[in-house]
Amino acid sequence: AEVKLTVCSSLYFKFHLHRLNHDDYITSLNFITFRSNELKECTCNRFDAKVVDATHVRMLGTEFECRKHSFPEYSDVIAEVEFGKVDLQDYQEEGQIDGGVDFIIYKGNHYHLTVITGNGDSIYVDTNDVWDKGDLVGIKIAPKDIKLTALEK
């Protein structure tokens, strides 16, 4: 069986390696060293999406406004949103969708969060705001921050 591994944050990944027992840690390091060409760093959120019309896309279980594009209606696309462009709101009802803060790590000058939506999707967020694990939040994404690309086949 082939295993593909995506690293969404080098600090996040090292944190999980550190938690493994000694034997697993060494095995994992050997695996990483041997298979390092298969590691791919995640630099933004990538969501499967469906084009609704020239200025709307459906992703994460809801419809979002986006920049005008030329994809045909009902076509499958990838929607990319940078971690720092996801805006968290104090109240769930203030967002386009809602979720809960699941994981937090401080990366020296900002926090990197994993937020799990009500549908179970993961959204990664870079923020200077302080959140606690378990906080329920609203999630907003501005139309200008959604980049659509063709689905690779």
Side-chain angles (χ1 to χ4, degrees), residues 63-138:
E63 194 173 295
F64 286 82
E65 185 178 354
C66 60
R67 286 191 235 170
K68 191 168 182 167
H69 56 79
S70 59
F71 291 102
E73 288 184 13
Y74 309 111
S75 60
D76 293 323
V77 295
I78 298 293
E80 295 180 344
V81 180
E82 293 178 23
F83 300 149
K85 300 297 184 179
V86 178
D87 189 22
L88 299 183
Q89 305 296 305
D90 289 325
Y91 300 101
Q92 291 175 294
E93 57 274 4
E94 292 178 354
Q96 295 153 301
I97 56 175
D98 59 47
V101 176
D102 185 60
F103 181 82
I104 307 164
I105 189 164
Y106 185 65
K107 294 185 80 173
N109 60 356
H110 67 278
Y111 294 92
H112 183 75
L113 312 177
T114 303
V115 177
I116 307 298
T117 69
N119 289 344
D121 295 305
S122 294
I123 299 178
Y124 302 105
V125 182
D126 285 343
T127 181
N128 291 319
D129 298 330
V130 178
W131 296 93
D132 292 321
K133 183 174 180 172
D135 281 349
L136 300 177
V137 296

Side-chain angles (χ1 to χ4, degrees):
E2 184 175 312
V3 176
K4 296 260 181 196
L5 180 61
T6 300
V7 180
C8 286
S9 163
S10 57
L11 291 174
Y12 179 83
F13 185 67
K14 287 178 184 174
F15 173 80
H16 283 290
L17 280 178
H18 184 67
R19 287 181 37 193
L20 299 172
N21 69 42
H22 180 72
D23 292 335
D24 288 340
Y25 182 72
I26 299 302
T27 302
S28 295
L29 281 179
N30 289 339
F31 174 79
I32 291 165
T33 302
F34 181 71
R35 307 282 265 187
S36 64
N37 61 331
E38 292 186 12
L39 291 178
K40 178 179 167 187
E41 186 160 358
C42 184
T43 57
C44 68
N45 290 290
R46 290 175 50 94
F47 307 113
D48 292 332
K50 186 170 285 293
V51 172
V52 176
D53 59 33
T55 58
H56 292 86
V57 65
R58 185 163 186 76
M59 63 182 188
L60 300 168
T62 196
E63 194 173 295
F64 286 82
E65 185 178 354
C66 60
R67 286 191 235 170
K68 191 168 182 167
H69 56 79
S70 59
F71 291 102
E73 288 184 13
Y74 309 111
S75 60
D76 293 323
V77 295
I78 298 293
E80 295 180 344
V81 180
E82 293 178 23
F83 300 149
K85 300 297 184 179
V86 178
D87 189 22
L88 299 183
Q89 305 296 305
D90 289 325
Y91 300 101
Q92 291 175 294
E93 57 274 4
E94 292 178 354
Q96 295 153 301
I97 56 175
D98 59 47
V101 176
D102 185 60
F103 181 82
I104 307 164
I105 189 164
Y106 185 65
K107 294 185 80 173
N109 60 356
H110 67 278
Y111 294 92
H112 183 75
L113 312 177
T114 303
V115 177
I116 307 298
T117 69
N119 289 344
D121 295 305
S122 294
I123 299 178
Y124 302 105
V125 182
D126 285 343
T127 181
N128 291 319
D129 298 330
V130 178
W131 296 93
D132 292 321
K133 183 174 180 172
D135 281 349
L136 300 177
V137 296
I139 302 164
K140 283 187 176 180
I141 303 172
K144 66 181 178 57
D145 296 325
I146 299 173
K147 178 185 172 192
L148 300 181
T149 57
L151 187 65
E152 299 171 9
K153 294 192 182 204

